[in-house]
Amino acid sequence: MLKKKKKIKKIKKIAFVRNGDEMPEVKKQKKRKAFKMKKKVFRSSDPLLSVFMWGVHQSVEQLTHCTIPPLLLDTDFKAFSKISIENYNFNSDNMTGKFKFKEYCPIVFKNLRDRFGVKEALFNQALSSCEPYYEAQGDALKEKERGHKYFYSKDNKFVVKIFHSEEVEFMHSILNVYYNYAVEKAGQTLLPQYLAMYKITVSSIEYHMIVMKNVFAVNLRIHKKYDLKGSKVDRAATDKDPTLKDCDFLNEDMKIRVGEEKRKHILAMLESDVQFLSQLKIMDYSLLLGTHNVAQGHEEREMDEEHSSSDDLLDGEEFNNNKDSDVPMEIEEEEEEVEDQIYENGYTYFSDPAISNKEVYCFGLIDVLTKYNATKRAAHTAKTMKHGSGAEISTVRPESYSKRFLEFMSNAFV
C-alpha cells in the first residue's frame, strides 16, 4: 500500500481508473478567504464628498510617483490632471457611478504644500480617510444661499470652499504672483494658505473647490468669532448671521492684546499682505478673528471631566467623548507645550503675558478673491447714494479699502 503524504503542496493532475475507464480529472480547489472590506472606501452620505475623498486620494498617490522640478515653469501654472469615470461599481451605495475629477496645477500646489509645511501623508489622510463635515450655522447658511459652501476635514486642519467659476479664473490669473509672494515671505504671511484646487462633476453638476489651511486649526474651542473689514455700515451680527463684526468689536471695546513686540510683527505682515492685495485690485477681504479664553477653557474641561462616565477606557485606550463631534477637543498639555503646538499653525498667538485675563487669538485674512470690477463699482455707487459719501461702506476702491483696513487693525492690536 502506498503511504499518503501528510502535506501536498501542489497537485497538477489526479486521475482514477475504475472498471477500465478513466475518471474525469479532479483539481484541488483553493480555499477562499472571507472578503474583508478595506478601510478606505470613501464613505459619505453626500456623493460629492465621496468623490472628493476619492479624488484627493488618487491625486496624492499619483503625485508621489512624479519628480518635482526645482524650478517651476509657466506651463506648470496652466497644467491640470483629469480623471473621468463612466461606470464605478465599487461602493455604489455611497459613490455615484459617473463622475469627473480635475485637479488644477498639481505641481504648483504640491510645491505650496511643501512651502506651508503640510506633509502629503497628513493632507491625504485628513481629507480622504475620514468624512469631512459641513459648517451648518450662521454665515455658512448665508454663503450656501449665495452658492458658496464650506466643509472641513475631520481633524479641523483644512477648510474646503466651493466657489464660482469666475473666482477660479481669477485664481488662475494671480496664481503665479501668489506663488512668488509665498516663496518670498517664506510662510510669514496672513494670506490664505492655498493647498489645492479641484473641479468635480457629479450628476452633470460642476463644483469648483479650493483647499486652504484652517485659521482655527488649533485644538481649542473658539469662544468668540469676528469678521473684521474696517467698515461700520451694516457691520453687526444678526440672527441669521451671528458672527460678530466691526460694530460689535467696537461696542465691546475689544482689543487684541499681544504685546508691543508681537504687535509690530503682526502689523508688518498685515501691511505687506494688504499692499500685495491692493496691487492686484483686490478688496472686500476680512480679518477672521477667533478668541479663546484660557480660564473659561479650563472650566469647560473640568466640567467635561466631571460629567465623564467611569468607563472611559475602550480597548485599553483613553476614550474621546468628542470623537464624533464637530467641535475640536481641547488640548491637554501644559501651557508651554500648547504654545509650541499652536505656533506651528502660523495664524495663532497668545495674549500678552503681562495681562491677567489670558486669551489665545487665531486670525488670518479671508475672502481675498474679490476683484474691484464693474459689479463692485455699481455697488459702491448704490451704497454711496444710500448712506452718503462720508459713510464707511465696505465696497470702496482697493486703495481706500486697504488704507482704512490698516487703520482699523492698528487700533485693534495693542
Side-chain angles (χ1 to χ4, degrees), residues 92-110:
S92 58
D93 293 338
N94 304 98
M95 291 275 284
T96 180
K98 183 178 180 180
F99 59 87
K100 295 178 182 179
F101 184 89
K102 182 177 183 179
E103 181 178 15
Y104 296 103
C105 312
I107 301 298
V108 175
F109 282 107
K110 184 182 186 309

Side-chain angles (χ1 to χ4, degrees), residues 379-389 393:
H380 169 72
T381 303
K383 288 186 178 182
T384 301
M385 292 176 64
K386 180 180 179 181
H387 300 286
S389 58
I393 59 176

Side-chain angles (χ1 to χ4, degrees), residues 275-328:
Q275 183 180 2
F276 170 76
L277 296 175
S278 181
Q279 290 172 352
L280 295 173
K281 304 300 180 184
I282 294 173
M283 43 77 68
D284 211 22
Y285 43 84
S286 307
L287 184 82
L288 182 64
L289 168 67
T291 65
H292 169 83
N293 187 285
V294 175
Q296 184 179 342
H298 286 315
E299 291 177 4
E300 290 169 347
R301 279 199 299 273
E302 290 174 359
M303 290 179 63
D304 290 340
E305 290 172 2
E306 289 176 3
H307 288 86
S308 62
S309 59
S310 58
D311 54 345
D312 279 349
L313 293 178
L314 184 64
D315 297 331
E317 294 183 357
E318 215 175 285
F319 181 69
N320 178 2
N321 285 325
N322 283 341
K323 183 173 71 172
D324 297 323
S325 172
D326 290 347
V327 179

Side-chain angles (χ1 to χ4, degrees), residues 136-274:
Q137 61 179 357
D139 55 334
L141 289 178
K142 185 178 178 181
E143 291 295 319
K144 187 174 181 180
E145 292 172 1
R146 296 190 311 195
H148 294 75
K149 290 182 182 177
Y150 295 89
F151 58 89
Y152 300 80
S153 61
K154 193 66 177 179
D155 62 2
N156 213 42
K157 290 187 186 322
F158 307 108
V159 57
V160 184
K161 179 181 179 181
I162 303 176
F163 60 151
H164 297 298
S165 57
E166 293 83 2
E167 292 175 296
V168 177
E169 294 175 7
F170 184 58
M171 184 65 194
H172 272 300
S173 68
I174 67 169
L175 182 57
N176 201 330
V177 182
Y178 171 82
Y179 176 82
N180 292 332
Y181 183 81
V183 171
E184 177 189 343
K185 294 299 177 181
Q188 294 297 309
T189 174
L190 292 173
L191 289 175
Q193 296 186 9
Y194 295 120
L195 306 175
M197 190 162 66
Y198 308 113
K199 182 176 81 170
I200 297 177
T201 306
V202 177
S203 301
S204 301
I205 302 175
E206 293 183 349
Y207 301 89
H208 296 89
M209 303 179 177
I210 192 159
V211 184
M212 304 166 279
K213 264 190 181 181
N214 188 5
V215 174
F216 300 152
V218 292
N219 294 329
L220 294 172
R221 185 174 285 108
I222 300 299
H223 296 129
K224 284 187 176 182
K225 185 168 73 169
Y226 299 86
D227 182 286
L228 305 174
K229 293 178 181 285
S231 170
K232 295 179 182 178
V233 176
D234 297 331
R235 296 295 297 163
T238 62
D239 293 336
K240 291 184 178 180
D241 187 0
T243 301
L244 301 170
K245 296 184 174 62
D246 304 70
C247 291
D248 306 299
F249 188 89
L250 295 172
N251 292 337
E252 295 173 1
D253 197 23
M254 174 70 182
K255 296 292 182 182
I256 308 172
R257 305 179 186 279
V258 291
E260 186 60 26
E261 185 177 348
K262 291 178 186 176
R263 177 181 180 273
K264 289 180 180 178
H265 172 69
I266 293 166
L267 289 179
M269 279 197 299
L270 275 174
E271 184 176 357
S272 176
D273 293 343
V274 167

